[in-house]
């Protein structure tokens, strides 16, 4: 079993060089907030992430990979929509 402190540390380090804050809610779920350090812009905010399945380094790595993928997809979608607006 991974301690809460260790779990938070692993998740927060998984988003470097971005700044990540991971907090444990009273119900055991996580809130993960990733920001761009220079601008303070929020890149990702996820709430209600269940900590129950995060019992191994592989499970934590998979979560970080999924969240990084969501960040990339949302940036790609935003820039795609932005270019359509400008050209339209």
């Amino acid at each position: 079993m991974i301690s809460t402190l260790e779990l938070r540390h692993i998740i927060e380090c998984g988003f470097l060089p971005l700044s990540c804050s991971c907090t444990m809610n009273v119900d055991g779920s996580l809130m993960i907030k990733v920001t761009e350090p220079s601008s303070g812009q929020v890149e990702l905010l996820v709430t209600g992430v269940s900590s129950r399945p995060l019992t191994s380094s592989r499970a934590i790595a998979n979560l970080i990979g999924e969240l990084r993928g969501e960040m990339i997809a949302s940036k790609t979608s935003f820039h795609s929509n932005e270019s359509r607006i400008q050209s339209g």
Side-chain angles (χ1 to χ4, degrees):
M1 181 77 176
I2 297 175
S3 73
T4 301
L5 185 60
E6 188 176 10
L7 174 62
R8 289 178 48 216
H9 178 73
I10 293 168
I11 292 171
E12 290 172 351
C13 288
F15 287 95
L16 290 172
L18 297 172
S19 178
C20 178
S21 153
C22 179
T23 55
M24 178 78 70
N25 298 314
V26 292
D27 65 356
S29 67
L30 301 171
M31 181 187 78
I32 302 169
K33 181 179 180 181
V34 181
T35 57
E36 170 58 49
S38 59
S39 67
Q41 178 178 341
V42 176
E43 300 289 327
L44 178 75
L45 177 61
V46 183
T47 60
V49 177
S50 176
S51 60
R52 286 185 196 167
L54 303 176
T55 57
S56 69
S57 57
R58 180 174 299 275
I60 298 167
N62 287 341
L63 172 67
I64 292 167
E66 286 177 31
L67 295 177
R68 281 186 164 273
E70 286 182 26
M71 284 175 31
I72 292 167
S74 69
K75 279 185 179 181
T76 303
S77 174
F78 175 76
H79 291 302
S80 175
N81 288 337
E82 188 177 68
S83 64
R84 275 189 242 144
I85 291 169
Q86 290 175 355
S87 65

